[in-house]
Structures are given as structure tokens and as C-alpha cells.
Amino acid sequence: DTGAVVRQLRGHGHWVNTLALSSEYAVRTGPYDHKAEKPGDDETAKAKALERYKAATGGKGERIISGSDDFTMFMWTPGTSKQPLQRMTGHVQLINHVLFSPDGRWVASASFDKAVKLWDGHNGTFVATMRGHVGPVYQIAWSADSRMVVSGSKDSTLKVWSVRTKKLELDLPGHADEVFAVDWSPMGTKAASGGKDKMLRLWRH
């Protein structure tokens, strides 16, 4: 209530570009999942929202991932410690965006090194590198069922990646210039993108 700093997390050697919270998707969508079933009343909605929050956090404290110009990411558990749980290395250029999957099991990261990387959402260990873009990757978004990631790049394309195969699932050309923004609807049926070509595009899944 006072706005006082309660904890400072130190470790990066350059500025921090992006932060992700393990419960972000559950908090954003409340009681609604990709099945789009409407709760019968407010009490049912509250119970469902709490259930989804607990599932996303695994019954543990919330985790934060930070991505930096120093090419590294850190996983933190700020509720219990000032020390990072994991230092996540592998990108060879600055990190633009990092995001937990809706179920909290995975983390995806996007970098100027043209790669999308996949990490374990519970301990921060490296899982896979997914390559296909020929320009820096600016932003990523998860499908509601946590099975796919879409990325937007300077190369003017979006690419959809499969978490199961760790490979390219679909190439989405259409923008005439760099793609700066991308998001996937909580129902999972559509994605949206925006770019330097001054266009918004909707994509059907």
C-alpha cells in the first residue's frame, strides 16, 4: 500500500528488456480456458480461477523470468529468495521477449540471434532451439493449450512452432515488413499480428 521496494533482484550485466510471470496467463484469463466454457455463477468462476492459478504455479511460489541485453535470462522465485533459481544461457544476442506457457510447464524466449528457445518452466533448464527466422525475433505468443508458440520477426513472417516436435509447424507470410507484435486468443482459434507495414492481421487456427 505504501509503494515501498520490498526486494531487489540483482544479476544482469546490462539492461532488462522483458519479464514474464509464471501465473500471468491464468491471471489474465481467470476462469476461462481454451474450451470457452462459461461458469454458471460467480462462486463457480472464482473457484475455477483459483484452480487454474494453482495449476499454473504448481502449488509453489510464483516464478519470474527476466531477459536482458547481456544475452542471458534468470529464473527467480522472489517470494522466497533474492538469489536466482537458474541462470539461463544459450542466446548469443540480446533477448527481446520471454513468456511462460499457459500451463506453466514451458518458457519460450525470442532473441536478436534469430532463434526461439524453449526452456523448462519449473527449473529453467534448456530444452531446445527452434530456428527458421532469417531476422531478429521480436515477440512470441503461446496457444491456449500450450502446444504451440507463434513468433514474429524482422524478416516479415510469423512462424508457428510445435512444442512436441520442437520444429516448425507452419510458416505465415503476409506482412510486407517487420512484425513487431503478436498475440493468440485465449480460445485458441485466432492469432493477431501487427507490423511496420501499418497492418493488423488476423490468423485462423
Side-chain angles (χ1 to χ4, degrees):
D1 293 341
T2 63
V5 174
V6 294
R7 184 153 287 173
Q8 296 189 79
L9 308 175
R10 301 180 185 276
H12 285 296
H14 213 302
W15 55 57
V16 177
N17 296 322
T18 178
L19 294 171
L21 184 65
S22 58
S23 63
E24 179 181 350
Y25 196 87
V27 172
R28 173 186 173 189
T29 55
Y32 299 98
D33 60 16
H34 60 282
K35 298 175 184 176
E37 296 174 353
K38 186 177 180 180
D41 53 48
D42 287 348
E43 290 306 313
T44 304
K46 289 178 183 178
K48 181 67 175 177
L50 182 59
E51 177 188 329
R52 296 187 69 236
Y53 173 84
K54 288 180 176 178
T57 56
K60 301 176 182 177
E62 291 180 316
R63 304 175 304 285
I64 290 178
I65 302 277
S66 55
S68 170
D69 258 37
D70 65 9
F71 309 169
T72 72
M73 300 186 297
F74 281 95
M75 177 177 279
W76 312 86
T77 52
T80 57
S81 176
K82 292 192 293 185
Q83 301 303 315
L85 182 66
Q86 181 73 267
R87 183 172 183 263
M88 302 157 70
T89 61
H91 282 295
V92 294
Q93 290 196 45
L94 67 88
I95 294 155
N96 286 314
H97 194 206
V98 60
L99 197 63
F100 278 93
S101 62
D103 62 9
R105 289 182 56 197
W106 309 100
V107 172
S109 57
S111 169
F112 257 72
D113 64 11
K114 308 172 189 176
V116 175
K117 289 185 181 289
L118 193 65
W119 314 79
D120 186 294
H122 295 292
N123 55 36
T125 55
F126 172 74
V127 175
T129 298
M130 299 180 288
R131 297 191 183 278
H133 284 295
V134 295
V137 186
Y138 292 138
Q139 198 168 39
I140 46 182
W142 281 93
S143 65
D145 58 10
S146 302
R147 294 190 300 174
M148 289 180 284
V149 182
V150 63
S151 54
S153 169
K154 184 177 182 178
D155 66 14
S156 81
T157 71
L158 292 97
K159 298 188 186 298
V160 180
W161 311 90
S162 167
V163 172
R164 182 180 63 83
T165 64
K166 317 294 189 293
K167 294 180 180 178
L168 182 66
E169 184 84 7
L170 197 62
D171 200 16
L172 301 176
H175 280 283
D177 212 327
E178 304 177 40
V179 181
F180 293 133
V182 61
D183 203 358
W184 208 316
S185 74
M187 287 180 62
T189 54
K190 291 183 176 67
S193 59
K196 195 175 181 180
D197 60 3
K198 307 172 188 173
M199 296 291 290
L200 292 175
R201 293 186 180 274
L202 292 178
W203 310 84
R204 185 171 60 243
H205 172 55

